[in-house]
Each structure stands twice: as C-alpha cells, then as structure tokens.
Amino acid sequence: KMDLWLLKVLNYIHLHYEKDISTDEMIRVSGYSKTRFYKLFTQIMGMTPLQYIEQRRIKKATLLLLEGKKVKDVSSEIGFLNNAYFAKKFKMKLGVTPSEYKTNYNKNMEEYFNDTQQIK
C-alpha cells in the first residue's frame, strides 16, 4: 500500500519531470520535513528522489527516440540542458548512447520483420 503523500510526490514528478524540480518542491508536496521525506522516499522507492527523476527522464527518452525524434530534441524535451550530459547519463543507465539505442532498435525491428516475412 502506497501512502497518499508518496502518490502526490510521484504524480508531481510525472507531471513536471522535464523541468528542474527542486527538492523543496517535492518536500512541500509531501508535507514532511526534509530529513523525513528523504528517508521515507528512499526506503520505499529504493532510490533517492533525484535518481527517480533521472530514471523517469531516461524512460521517457527511450520512447521519444523510438518515435524517431532527434537526440538533441529528446534531450531538451526531457529536461536535460546539456546534450553531452544527457548522453552520458543515458549510456550509464542503458549501456549504449541514445543514438546507438535508436539505431539498434531500428536495426532489430528490420531484422524481425524480414525474418517474419520469410516464415510465410
């Protein structure tokens, strides 16, 4: 069972993840003190609030890349002001750069559809 304060904070993050969300904003939404907020969030979510925001941004980036958006556009759309920093964080999380992710996905899909057509 998730507490209401956490649902409010997660909802706030999901609505504003592309902006520079401050810790103070999340604490205000939670209604807890800074210390209590960090302790509870980290215990329940298994990561800090900033790690959660970063994870949310990277997940959204994967979807936008697969929609065919350019890496630089994705970077700014999800709240990274620096393309190189976005690429570094993306690679740390997924093991490939955003461009490699996009290329590999497209290549794998082409192979999948080619294989599927040969099965007929």
Side-chain angles (χ1 to χ4, degrees):
K1 176 188 160 218
M2 210 175 283
D3 291 333
L4 183 57
W5 73 268
L6 183 57
L7 290 174
K8 286 179 182 179
V9 170
L10 294 178
N11 186 53
Y12 185 84
I13 291 169
H14 286 253
L15 291 174
H16 304 285
Y17 69 89
E18 77 286 353
K19 298 176 186 164
D20 191 18
I21 300 173
S22 74
T23 303
D24 290 340
E25 290 173 271
M26 291 184 284
I27 291 168
R28 181 187 51 76
V29 170
S30 77
Y32 284 112
S33 69
K34 184 176 185 175
T35 305
R36 184 86 174 132
F37 168 73
Y38 269 102
K39 182 178 180 179
L40 287 173
F41 191 99
T42 304
Q43 271 182 334
I44 295 168
M45 300 303 293
M47 63 186 81
T48 68
L50 296 179
Q51 288 171 328
Y52 182 82
I53 291 169
E54 185 177 281
Q55 177 181 297
R56 173 74 179 109
R57 287 176 172 167
I58 297 298
K59 282 183 182 179
K60 181 64 175 181
T62 61
L63 297 174
L64 295 172
L65 290 167
L66 297 181
E67 288 175 6
K69 293 196 175 192
K70 294 179 181 178
V71 173
K72 67 179 179 129
D73 295 335
V74 170
S75 176
S76 62
E77 189 171 329
I78 63 168
F80 283 90
L81 301 176
N82 181 307
N83 291 341
Y85 184 70
F86 163 62
K88 178 183 175 182
K89 287 295 190 175
F90 193 97
K91 186 168 184 171
M92 284 174 61
K93 292 282 185 196
L94 299 177
V96 293
T97 67
S99 297
E100 290 169 338
Y101 180 85
K102 189 175 178 179
T103 301
N104 289 340
Y105 178 82
N106 288 334
K107 181 181 161 198
N108 290 339
M109 289 308 292
E110 285 176 23
E111 289 174 6
Y112 171 78
F113 285 114
N114 287 338
D115 288 346
T116 304
Q117 290 174 353
Q118 292 174 8
I119 292 173
K120 291 181 182 177

